[in-house]
């Protein structure tokens, strides 16, 4: 019994010490867990992104593009990086590729405002060059935190960079697309279904019937998984 009391005392002292050093009372043992306000937390991440200078892109960008959409979205679309239009407006997928993405989302009978749309990189690489590995390493924690907060049912990775980064693989987008993969926000978390597909910008450059069908096939699998009616 005395041993239990000693352990309780030690834990209590530890909590008080942590509370003292953290300058607040949030670690008090009688703290009631508050539900996380995802929208507020996402806005805090967005504010961090707008002030971020962790890589060189922070100097060359016009606006950072944290991503936007519903805080409790069932689907999150993740692209590669902002382009010129996105850099000018500070919003993800607002250029031509963004317009095509809107068409794809609406063809799924989903409102664009009901999903969350963002990128692996939050700032535009000059001349739309490919993201560099050190830029991805610096920026990825923002996306990981966004996904952890939103906890979507499905992540759609748009293009090779998004798919390869999120799945930590060197496989090509052609090999990855067309089936669900597991994405984990943490070691303890349940996996989230991740569907890789072609980036709308790639689709615009290669607007063949075959490529459009492949993307639509991928989106139909997403719709089926979410229980949405499948249109032929
Ligand atoms: S790309 Fe990401 S890591 Fe680099 S400055 Fe922008 S927000 Fe920060």
């Amino acid at each position: 019994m005395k041993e239990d009391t000693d352990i309780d005392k030690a834990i209590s002292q530890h909590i008080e010490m942590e509370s003292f050093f953290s300058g607040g009372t949030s670690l008090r043992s009688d703290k009631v867990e508050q539900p996380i306000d995802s929208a507020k937390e996402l806005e805090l991440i967005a504010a961090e992104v707008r002030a971020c200078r962790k890589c060189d892109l922070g100097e060359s960008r016009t606006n950072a593009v944290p991503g936007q959409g519903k805080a409790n979205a069932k689907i999150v679309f993740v692209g590669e990086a902002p382009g010129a239009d996105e850099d000018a407006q500070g919003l993800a997928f607002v250029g031509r590729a963004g317009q095509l993405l809107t068409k794809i989302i609406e063809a799924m009978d989903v409102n664009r405002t009901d999903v969350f749309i963002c990128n692996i990189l939050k700032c535009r690489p000059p001349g739309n060059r490919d993201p560099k590995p050190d830029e991805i390493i610096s920026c990825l924690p923002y996306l990981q935190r966004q996904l952890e907060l939103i906890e979507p049912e499905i992540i759609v990775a748009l293009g090779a960079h998004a798919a390869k980064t999120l799945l930590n693989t060197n496989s090509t987008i052609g090999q990855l697309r067309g089936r669900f993969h597991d994405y984990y926000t943490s070691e303890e978390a349940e996996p989230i279904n991740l569907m890789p597909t072609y980036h709308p910008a790639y689709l615009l450059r290669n607007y063949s019937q075959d490529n459009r069908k492949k993307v639509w096939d991928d989106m139909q699998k997403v719709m089926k998984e979410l229980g949405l009616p499948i249109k032929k």
Side-chain angles (χ1 to χ4, degrees):
M1 186 61 110
K2 176 161 186 318
E3 207 171 283
D4 284 349
T5 313
D6 286 344
I7 291 169
D8 286 349
K9 202 171 154 193
I11 291 171
S12 169
Q13 279 173 349
H14 175 73
I15 288 169
E16 279 168 20
M17 193 175 72
E18 288 286 307
S19 177
F20 176 79
F21 282 112
S22 65
T25 55
S26 63
L27 291 174
R28 281 168 60 98
S29 55
D30 57 355
K31 175 177 175 275
V32 178
E33 281 289 325
Q34 295 293 323
I36 294 173
D37 182 341
S38 299
K40 203 170 155 192
E41 295 291 324
L42 285 170
E43 197 35 61
L44 289 175
I45 295 173
E48 272 184 59
V49 165
R50 291 188 193 104
C52 182
R53 295 282 189 277
K54 281 200 287 175
C55 77
D56 290 348
L57 300 181
E59 303 302 326
S60 57
R61 73 183 178 214
T62 308
N63 289 295
V65 182
Q68 72 275 358
K70 212 171 181 181
N72 58 351
K74 287 188 176 175
I75 317 176
V76 174
F77 289 86
V78 182
E80 176 183 323
D85 294 305
E86 290 76 18
D87 179 61
Q89 297 183 42
L91 293 169
F93 281 91
V94 288
R96 279 185 69 222
Q99 287 161 17
L100 180 55
L101 178 62
T102 304
K103 278 190 190 172
I104 293 168
I105 293 169
E106 288 175 353
M108 296 165 73
D109 253 348
V110 174
N111 286 324
R112 184 172 155 137
T113 49
D114 285 336
V115 303
F116 194 88
I117 303 176
C118 56
N119 287 295
I120 295 282
L121 283 192
K122 308 300 189 188
C123 301
R124 183 193 183 205
N128 292 352
R129 64 156 168 74
D130 285 349
K132 292 179 183 171
D134 63 308
E135 294 163 352
I136 293 178
I137 291 167
S138 299
C139 209
L140 195 57
Y142 293 124
L143 175 63
Q144 288 168 330
R145 284 165 59 199
Q146 288 173 320
L147 293 173
E148 203 171 341
L149 278 168
I150 299 168
E151 286 187 312
E153 286 180 34
I154 309 258
I155 298 167
V156 177
L158 299 165
H161 284 289
K164 288 162 81 170
T165 301
L166 289 173
L167 296 174
N168 195 18
T169 174
N170 279 324
S171 301
T172 66
I173 186 68
Q175 291 165 333
L176 295 169
R177 62 150 291 276
R179 64 196 159 88
F180 286 110
H181 302 256
D182 287 342
Y183 174 81
Y184 293 86
T185 53
S186 70
E187 276 180 17
E188 312 80 44
E190 292 288 311
I192 297 173
N193 273 326
L194 185 148
M195 174 61 77
T197 195
Y198 292 127
H199 194 288
Y202 170 84
L203 210 50
L204 283 172
R205 290 194 303 271
N206 304 275
Y207 207 63
S208 67
Q209 176 111 12
D210 184 43
N211 284 336
R212 279 183 288 166
K213 184 179 178 312
K214 283 177 180 164
V215 171
W216 187 233
D217 285 348
D218 297 343
M219 292 309 99
Q220 285 194 316
K221 285 174 186 153
V222 169
M223 291 160 72
K224 191 172 173 207
E225 189 65 24
L226 290 172
L228 297 172
I230 306 286
K231 290 192 271 179
K232 293 290 168 194

Coordinates of all heavy atoms in Angstrom, one line a residue, residues 12-91:
S12 N 2.4 12.8 -8.9 CA 1.8 14.1 -8.6 C 2.9 15.1 -8.6 O 2.7 16.2 -9.1 CB 1.1 14.0 -7.2 OG 0.8 15.2 -6.8
Q13 N 4.1 14.8 -8.0 CA 5.2 15.8 -8.0 C 5.7 16.0 -9.4 O 6.0 17.2 -9.7 CB 6.3 15.2 -7.1 CG 6.1 15.4 -5.6 CD 7.2 14.7 -4.8 OE1 8.0 13.9 -5.3 NE2 7.2 15.0 -3.5
H14 N 5.7 15.0 -10.2 CA 6.2 15.1 -11.6 C 5.2 16.1 -12.3 O 5.6 17.0 -13.0 CB 6.2 13.8 -12.3 CG 6.5 13.8 -13.7 ND1 7.8 14.1 -14.2 CD2 5.7 13.7 -14.8 CE1 7.8 14.2 -15.5 NE2 6.5 13.9 -15.9
I15 N 3.9 15.9 -12.1 CA 2.9 16.7 -12.8 C 3.0 18.2 -12.4 O 3.0 19.1 -13.2 CB 1.5 16.2 -12.5 CG1 1.2 14.9 -13.3 CG2 0.4 17.2 -12.9 CD1 0.0 14.1 -12.9
E16 N 3.2 18.3 -11.1 CA 3.3 19.7 -10.5 C 4.6 20.4 -11.1 O 4.6 21.5 -11.5 CB 3.4 19.7 -9.0 CG 2.0 19.6 -8.4 CD 2.1 19.3 -6.9 OE1 3.2 19.5 -6.3 OE2 1.1 18.8 -6.4
M17 N 5.7 19.6 -11.2 CA 6.9 20.1 -11.8 C 6.8 20.5 -13.2 O 7.2 21.6 -13.7 CB 8.0 19.1 -11.6 CG 9.4 19.6 -11.8 SD 10.7 18.4 -11.5 CE 10.4 17.3 -12.9
E18 N 6.1 19.6 -14.0 CA 5.9 19.8 -15.4 C 5.0 21.1 -15.6 O 5.3 22.0 -16.4 CB 5.1 18.7 -16.1 CG 6.0 17.4 -16.3 CD 6.9 17.6 -17.4 OE1 6.5 17.9 -18.5 OE2 8.1 17.4 -17.2
S19 N 4.0 21.2 -14.7 CA 3.1 22.4 -14.8 C 3.9 23.7 -14.5 O 3.7 24.7 -15.2 CB 2.0 22.2 -13.7 OG 1.2 23.3 -13.7
F20 N 4.8 23.6 -13.5 CA 5.6 24.7 -13.1 C 6.5 25.2 -14.3 O 6.5 26.3 -14.7 CB 6.5 24.4 -11.9 CG 7.4 25.6 -11.6 CD1 6.9 26.6 -10.9 CD2 8.7 25.5 -12.0 CE1 7.8 27.7 -10.5 CE2 9.6 26.6 -11.6 CZ 9.1 27.7 -10.9
F21 N 7.2 24.2 -14.9 CA 8.1 24.5 -16.0 C 7.4 24.9 -17.3 O 7.9 25.6 -18.1 CB 9.1 23.3 -16.3 CG 10.2 23.3 -15.3 CD1 10.3 22.3 -14.4 CD2 11.1 24.3 -15.2 CE1 11.3 22.2 -13.4 CE2 12.1 24.3 -14.3 CZ 12.2 23.2 -13.4
S22 N 6.1 24.4 -17.5 CA 5.4 24.8 -18.7 C 4.6 26.1 -18.5 O 4.0 26.6 -19.3 CB 4.4 23.7 -19.1 OG 3.4 23.5 -18.1
G23 N 4.7 26.6 -17.2 CA 4.2 27.9 -16.9 C 2.7 27.9 -16.9 O 2.0 29.0 -17.0
G24 N 2.0 26.8 -16.7 CA 0.6 26.8 -16.7 C 0.0 25.7 -15.9 O 0.8 25.0 -15.2
T25 N -1.3 25.5 -16.0 CA -1.9 24.5 -15.2 C -2.5 23.3 -16.0 O -3.2 22.5 -15.6 CB -3.1 25.1 -14.4 OG1 -4.0 25.7 -15.4 CG2 -2.7 26.1 -13.4
S26 N -2.1 23.3 -17.3 CA -2.7 22.4 -18.2 C -2.3 20.9 -17.9 O -3.0 20.0 -18.4 CB -2.3 22.7 -19.7 OG -0.9 22.6 -19.8
L27 N -1.3 20.7 -17.2 CA -0.9 19.3 -16.9 C -1.4 18.9 -15.5 O -1.0 17.8 -15.0 CB 0.6 19.2 -16.9 CG 1.2 19.3 -18.3 CD1 2.8 19.3 -18.3 CD2 0.8 18.2 -19.2
R28 N -2.3 19.6 -14.9 CA -2.8 19.2 -13.6 C -3.5 17.9 -13.7 O -4.2 17.6 -14.7 CB -3.8 20.3 -13.1 CG -3.2 21.5 -12.5 CD -4.3 22.5 -12.3 NE -5.3 22.0 -11.5 CZ -5.4 22.3 -10.2 NH1 -4.5 23.1 -9.6 NH2 -6.4 21.8 -9.5
S29 N -3.4 17.1 -12.7 CA -4.0 15.7 -12.7 C -5.5 15.7 -12.9 O -6.1 14.8 -13.3 CB -3.5 15.0 -11.5 OG -3.9 15.7 -10.4
D30 N -6.2 16.8 -12.4 CA -7.6 16.8 -12.5 C -8.1 17.5 -13.8 O -9.3 17.8 -13.9 CB -8.2 17.6 -11.3 CG -7.7 19.0 -11.2 OD1 -6.8 19.4 -12.0 OD2 -8.2 19.8 -10.3
K31 N -7.2 17.6 -14.8 CA -7.6 18.2 -16.0 C -8.6 17.4 -16.8 O -8.5 16.2 -16.9 CB -6.3 18.4 -16.9 CG -6.6 18.9 -18.3 CD -5.3 19.1 -19.1 CE -5.6 19.5 -20.5 NZ -5.9 18.4 -21.4
V32 N -9.7 18.1 -17.2 CA -10.7 17.4 -18.0 C -10.3 17.5 -19.5 O -10.0 18.6 -19.9 CB -12.1 18.1 -17.8 CG1 -13.2 17.4 -18.6 CG2 -12.5 18.0 -16.3
E33 N -10.3 16.4 -20.2 CA -9.9 16.4 -21.6 C -10.9 17.2 -22.4 O -12.1 17.0 -22.4 CB -9.9 15.0 -22.2 CG -8.6 14.2 -21.8 CD -7.4 14.7 -22.6 OE1 -7.6 15.1 -23.7 OE2 -6.3 14.6 -22.0
Q34 N -10.4 18.2 -23.1 CA -11.3 19.0 -24.0 C -11.3 18.5 -25.4 O -10.2 18.1 -25.9 CB -10.7 20.5 -24.0 CG -10.8 21.2 -22.7 CD -12.2 21.5 -22.2 OE1 -13.1 21.7 -23.0 NE2 -12.4 21.3 -20.9
P35 N -12.4 18.5 -26.1 CA -12.4 18.0 -27.5 C -11.6 19.0 -28.3 O -11.6 20.2 -28.0 CB -13.9 18.1 -27.9 CG -14.6 18.9 -26.8 CD -13.8 18.9 -25.6
I36 N -10.9 18.4 -29.3 CA -10.0 19.3 -30.1 C -10.9 20.0 -31.1 O -11.7 19.4 -31.8 CB -8.9 18.4 -30.8 CG1 -8.0 17.9 -29.8 CG2 -8.2 19.3 -31.8 CD1 -7.0 16.9 -30.4
D37 N -10.7 21.3 -31.2 CA -11.4 22.1 -32.2 C -10.6 22.1 -33.5 O -9.6 22.8 -33.6 CB -11.6 23.5 -31.7 CG -12.4 24.4 -32.7 OD1 -12.5 24.0 -33.9 OD2 -13.0 25.4 -32.3
S38 N -10.9 21.1 -34.4 CA -10.0 20.9 -35.6 C -9.9 22.1 -36.4 O -8.8 22.4 -36.9 CB -10.6 19.7 -36.4 OG -10.6 18.6 -35.6
A39 N -11.1 22.9 -36.6 CA -11.0 24.0 -37.5 C -10.0 25.1 -36.9 O -9.2 25.6 -37.7 CB -12.4 24.6 -37.6
K40 N -10.1 25.2 -35.6 CA -9.2 26.2 -34.9 C -7.7 25.7 -35.1 O -6.8 26.5 -35.4 CB -9.6 26.3 -33.5 CG -9.2 27.6 -32.8 CD -9.9 27.7 -31.5 CE -9.1 28.6 -30.6 NZ -9.5 28.5 -29.2
E41 N -7.5 24.4 -34.8 CA -6.2 23.9 -34.9 C -5.6 24.0 -36.3 O -4.4 24.3 -36.5 CB -6.1 22.4 -34.5 CG -6.5 22.2 -33.0 CD -5.4 22.7 -32.1 OE1 -4.2 22.6 -32.4 OE2 -5.8 23.2 -31.0
L42 N -6.5 23.8 -37.3 CA -6.0 23.9 -38.7 C -5.7 25.3 -39.0 O -4.7 25.6 -39.8 CB -7.1 23.4 -39.7 CG -7.3 21.9 -39.7 CD1 -8.6 21.6 -40.5 CD2 -6.1 21.2 -40.4
E43 N -6.4 26.3 -38.4 CA -6.1 27.7 -38.7 C -4.8 28.0 -38.0 O -4.0 28.8 -38.6 CB -7.2 28.6 -38.2 CG -7.2 30.0 -38.7 CD -6.8 30.1 -40.2 OE1 -7.4 29.6 -41.1 OE2 -5.7 30.8 -40.3
L44 N -4.5 27.4 -36.9 CA -3.2 27.7 -36.2 C -2.0 27.1 -37.1 O -1.0 27.8 -37.2 CB -3.1 27.0 -34.8 CG -4.0 27.7 -33.8 CD1 -4.0 26.9 -32.5 CD2 -3.6 29.1 -33.5
I45 N -2.2 26.0 -37.7 CA -1.2 25.4 -38.6 C -1.0 26.3 -39.8 O 0.1 26.6 -40.2 CB -1.6 24.0 -39.1 CG1 -1.6 23.0 -37.9 CG2 -0.6 23.5 -40.1 CD1 -2.1 21.6 -38.2
A46 N -2.2 26.8 -40.3 CA -2.1 27.7 -41.5 C -1.3 29.0 -41.1 O -0.5 29.5 -42.0 CB -3.5 28.1 -42.0
A47 N -1.5 29.5 -39.9 CA -0.8 30.7 -39.5 C 0.7 30.4 -39.4 O 1.6 31.2 -39.8 CB -1.3 31.2 -38.2
E48 N 1.1 29.2 -38.9 CA 2.5 28.8 -38.8 C 3.1 28.7 -40.2 O 4.2 29.1 -40.5 CB 2.6 27.4 -38.2 CG 2.7 27.4 -36.7 CD 2.9 25.9 -36.2 OE1 3.9 25.3 -36.6 OE2 2.0 25.5 -35.5
V49 N 2.3 28.1 -41.2 CA 2.8 28.0 -42.5 C 3.1 29.3 -43.2 O 4.1 29.6 -43.8 CB 1.8 27.2 -43.4 CG1 2.1 27.3 -44.9 CG2 1.8 25.7 -43.0
R50 N 2.1 30.3 -42.9 CA 2.3 31.6 -43.5 C 3.5 32.3 -43.0 O 4.1 33.2 -43.7 CB 1.0 32.5 -43.3 CG -0.2 31.9 -44.1 CD -1.4 32.8 -44.0 NE -2.6 32.1 -44.5 CZ -3.5 31.6 -43.7 NH1 -3.5 31.8 -42.4 NH2 -4.5 31.0 -44.3
A51 N 3.9 32.0 -41.8 CA 5.1 32.6 -41.2 C 6.4 31.8 -41.4 O 7.5 32.2 -41.0 CB 4.9 32.9 -39.7
C52 N 6.3 30.6 -42.1 CA 7.4 29.7 -42.1 C 8.5 30.1 -43.1 O 8.3 30.6 -44.1 CB 6.8 28.3 -42.6 SG 8.1 27.1 -42.6
R53 N 9.7 29.9 -42.6 CA 10.9 30.1 -43.4 C 11.9 28.9 -43.3 O 13.1 29.1 -43.3 CB 11.6 31.4 -43.0 CG 10.9 32.7 -43.2 CD 10.9 33.2 -44.6 NE 10.3 34.5 -44.8 CZ 9.0 34.8 -44.9 NH1 8.2 33.8 -44.8 NH2 8.6 36.0 -45.0
K54 N 11.3 27.7 -43.1 CA 12.2 26.6 -42.8 C 13.0 26.1 -44.0 O 13.9 25.4 -43.9 CB 11.3 25.4 -42.3 CG 10.9 25.5 -40.8 CD 10.5 24.2 -40.2 CE 9.2 23.7 -40.7 NZ 8.8 22.4 -40.3
C55 N 12.5 26.5 -45.2 CA 13.3 26.2 -46.4 C 13.4 27.4 -47.3 O 12.7 28.4 -47.0 CB 12.8 25.0 -47.1 SG 11.4 25.3 -48.2
D56 N 14.2 27.4 -48.3 CA 14.4 28.6 -49.2 C 13.1 29.1 -49.9 O 13.1 30.2 -50.3 CB 15.5 28.3 -50.3 CG 16.8 28.1 -49.6 OD1 17.0 28.5 -48.5 OD2 17.8 27.6 -50.3
L57 N 12.2 28.2 -50.0 CA 10.9 28.6 -50.7 C 10.2 29.7 -50.0 O 9.4 30.4 -50.5 CB 10.0 27.4 -50.9 CG 10.6 26.2 -51.8 CD1 9.6 25.1 -51.9 CD2 11.1 26.7 -53.1
G58 N 10.5 29.8 -48.7 CA 9.9 30.8 -47.9 C 10.3 32.2 -48.3 O 9.6 33.2 -48.1
E59 N 11.4 32.3 -49.0 CA 11.9 33.6 -49.4 C 11.4 33.9 -50.8 O 11.2 35.1 -51.2 CB 13.5 33.6 -49.5 CG 14.2 33.2 -48.2 CD 13.8 34.2 -47.0 OE1 13.5 35.4 -47.3 OE2 13.7 33.7 -45.9
S60 N 11.2 32.9 -51.7 CA 10.8 33.2 -53.1 C 9.3 33.2 -53.3 O 8.9 33.7 -54.3 CB 11.4 32.1 -54.0 OG 11.0 30.8 -53.6
R61 N 8.5 32.7 -52.4 CA 7.1 32.6 -52.6 C 6.5 34.1 -52.5 O 7.1 35.0 -51.9 CB 6.4 31.8 -51.5 CG 6.4 32.5 -50.1 CD 5.9 31.7 -49.0 NE 6.0 32.4 -47.7 CZ 6.2 31.9 -46.6 NH1 6.4 30.6 -46.4 NH2 6.3 32.6 -45.5
T62 N 5.3 34.2 -53.1 CA 4.5 35.4 -52.8 C 3.6 35.2 -51.6 O 3.6 36.0 -50.7 CB 3.6 35.7 -54.1 OG1 4.4 35.7 -55.2 CG2 2.9 37.1 -53.9
N63 N 2.8 34.1 -51.7 CA 2.0 33.7 -50.5 C 2.2 32.2 -50.3 O 2.3 31.4 -51.2 CB 0.5 33.8 -50.9 CG 0.1 35.3 -50.9 OD1 0.1 36.0 -49.9 ND2 -0.3 35.7 -52.1
A64 N 2.3 31.8 -49.0 CA 2.2 30.4 -48.7 C 0.8 29.9 -48.9 O -0.1 30.7 -48.9 CB 2.6 30.2 -47.2
V65 N 0.7 28.6 -49.2 CA -0.6 28.0 -49.5 C -0.8 26.8 -48.5 O -0.5 25.7 -48.8 CB -0.6 27.5 -50.9 CG1 -2.0 27.0 -51.3 CG2 -0.2 28.7 -51.9
P66 N -1.4 27.1 -47.3 CA -1.5 26.0 -46.4 C -2.5 24.9 -46.8 O -2.4 23.8 -46.4 CB -2.1 26.7 -45.1 CG -1.9 28.2 -45.4 CD -1.9 28.4 -46.9
G67 N -3.5 25.3 -47.6 CA -4.6 24.4 -48.0 C -5.9 24.9 -47.4 O -5.8 25.6 -46.4
Q68 N -7.0 24.4 -47.9 CA -8.3 24.9 -47.4 C -9.3 23.9 -47.6 O -9.2 23.0 -48.4 CB -8.7 26.2 -48.1 CG -9.1 26.1 -49.6 CD -8.0 26.1 -50.6 OE1 -6.8 26.2 -50.3 NE2 -8.3 25.9 -51.9
G69 N -10.4 24.0 -46.8 CA -11.5 23.1 -46.9 C -12.1 22.8 -45.6 O -11.9 23.5 -44.6
K70 N -12.9 21.8 -45.5 CA -13.7 21.4 -44.3 C -12.8 20.7 -43.3 O -12.0 19.8 -43.7 CB -14.8 20.5 -44.8 CG -16.1 20.6 -43.9 CD -17.2 19.8 -44.6 CE -18.4 19.9 -43.8 NZ -19.5 19.1 -44.4
A71 N -12.9 21.1 -42.1 CA -12.1 20.6 -41.0 C -12.4 19.1 -40.7 O -11.5 18.4 -40.3 CB -12.2 21.4 -39.7
N72 N -13.6 18.7 -41.0 CA -13.9 17.3 -40.7 C -14.3 16.6 -42.1 O -15.2 15.7 -42.1 CB -15.1 17.1 -39.7 CG -16.3 17.8 -40.2 OD1 -16.3 18.6 -41.2 ND2 -17.5 17.6 -39.5
A73 N -13.5 16.9 -43.1 CA -13.8 16.4 -44.4 C -13.6 14.9 -44.5 O -12.7 14.3 -43.8 CB -12.8 17.0 -45.4
K74 N -14.4 14.2 -45.3 CA -14.2 12.7 -45.4 C -13.1 12.4 -46.5 O -12.5 11.4 -46.4 CB -15.5 12.1 -45.9 CG -16.6 12.0 -44.8 CD -17.7 11.2 -45.3 CE -18.7 11.0 -44.1 NZ -19.9 10.4 -44.6
I75 N -12.9 13.4 -47.4 CA -11.9 13.2 -48.4 C -10.9 14.4 -48.3 O -11.3 15.5 -48.3 CB -12.4 13.2 -49.8 CG1 -13.7 12.3 -49.9 CG2 -11.4 12.7 -50.8 CD1 -14.3 12.3 -51.3
V76 N -9.6 14.0 -48.3 CA -8.5 15.1 -48.5 C -7.8 14.8 -49.8 O -7.3 13.7 -50.0 CB -7.6 15.0 -47.3 CG1 -6.4 16.0 -47.5 CG2 -8.3 15.4 -46.0
F77 N -7.7 15.8 -50.6 CA -6.9 15.7 -51.9 C -5.6 16.4 -51.6 O -5.5 17.5 -51.1 CB -7.6 16.5 -53.0 CG -8.9 15.8 -53.5 CD1 -10.1 16.0 -52.9 CD2 -8.8 14.9 -54.6 CE1 -11.3 15.3 -53.3 CE2 -10.0 14.2 -55.0 CZ -11.2 14.5 -54.4
V78 N -4.5 15.6 -51.9 CA -3.2 16.2 -51.7 C -2.4 16.2 -53.0 O -2.2 15.2 -53.7 CB -2.4 15.3 -50.7 CG1 -1.0 15.9 -50.4 CG2 -3.1 15.1 -49.4
G79 N -2.0 17.4 -53.4 CA -1.2 17.6 -54.6 C 0.3 17.7 -54.3 O 0.7 17.4 -53.2
E80 N 1.0 18.3 -55.3 CA 2.4 18.4 -55.2 C 2.9 19.7 -54.5 O 3.5 19.7 -53.5 CB 3.0 18.2 -56.6 CG 4.5 18.4 -56.7 CD 4.9 18.3 -58.2 OE1 4.3 17.5 -59.0 OE2 5.8 19.0 -58.6
A81 N 2.5 20.8 -55.2 CA 3.0 22.1 -54.7 C 2.2 23.2 -55.4 O 1.6 22.9 -56.4 CB 4.5 22.3 -55.0
P82 N 2.1 24.4 -54.8 CA 1.4 25.5 -55.4 C 2.0 25.9 -56.7 O 3.2 25.8 -56.9 CB 1.5 26.6 -54.4 CG 1.9 26.0 -53.1 CD 2.7 24.8 -53.5
G83 N 1.2 26.3 -57.7 CA 1.7 26.9 -58.9 C 1.6 28.4 -58.9 O 1.3 29.0 -57.8
A84 N 1.6 29.0 -60.0 CA 1.6 30.5 -60.1 C 0.3 31.1 -59.5 O 0.4 32.0 -58.7 CB 1.9 31.0 -61.5
D85 N -0.8 30.5 -60.0 CA -2.1 31.1 -59.5 C -2.3 30.9 -58.0 O -2.8 31.8 -57.3 CB -3.3 30.4 -60.2 CG -3.3 30.7 -61.7 OD1 -3.3 31.9 -62.1 OD2 -3.2 29.7 -62.5
E86 N -1.9 29.7 -57.5 CA -2.0 29.4 -56.1 C -1.1 30.4 -55.3 O -1.5 30.9 -54.2 CB -1.6 28.0 -55.8 CG -2.6 27.0 -56.4 CD -2.6 26.8 -57.9 OE1 -1.5 27.1 -58.5 OE2 -3.6 26.2 -58.4
D87 N 0.1 30.6 -55.8 CA 1.1 31.4 -55.1 C 0.6 32.9 -55.0 O 0.7 33.6 -54.0 CB 2.4 31.4 -55.9 CG 3.5 32.3 -55.3 OD1 3.9 32.1 -54.2 OD2 3.9 33.2 -56.0
A88 N -0.1 33.3 -56.1 CA -0.7 34.7 -56.2 C -1.8 34.8 -55.2 O -2.0 35.9 -54.6 CB -1.1 35.0 -57.6
Q89 N -2.6 33.8 -55.0 CA -3.9 33.9 -54.2 C -3.7 33.3 -52.8 O -4.6 33.5 -52.0 CB -5.0 33.2 -54.9 CG -5.4 33.9 -56.3 CD -6.6 33.2 -56.9 OE1 -7.6 32.9 -56.3 NE2 -6.5 33.0 -58.2
G90 N -2.7 32.5 -52.6 CA -2.6 31.8 -51.3 C -3.6 30.7 -51.1 O -3.9 30.3 -49.9
L91 N -4.1 30.2 -52.2 CA -5.2 29.1 -52.1 C -4.7 27.9 -53.0 O -4.1 28.1 -54.0 CB -6.5 29.6 -52.6 CG -7.2 30.7 -51.7 CD1 -8.4 31.3 -52.5 CD2 -7.6 30.1 -50.4

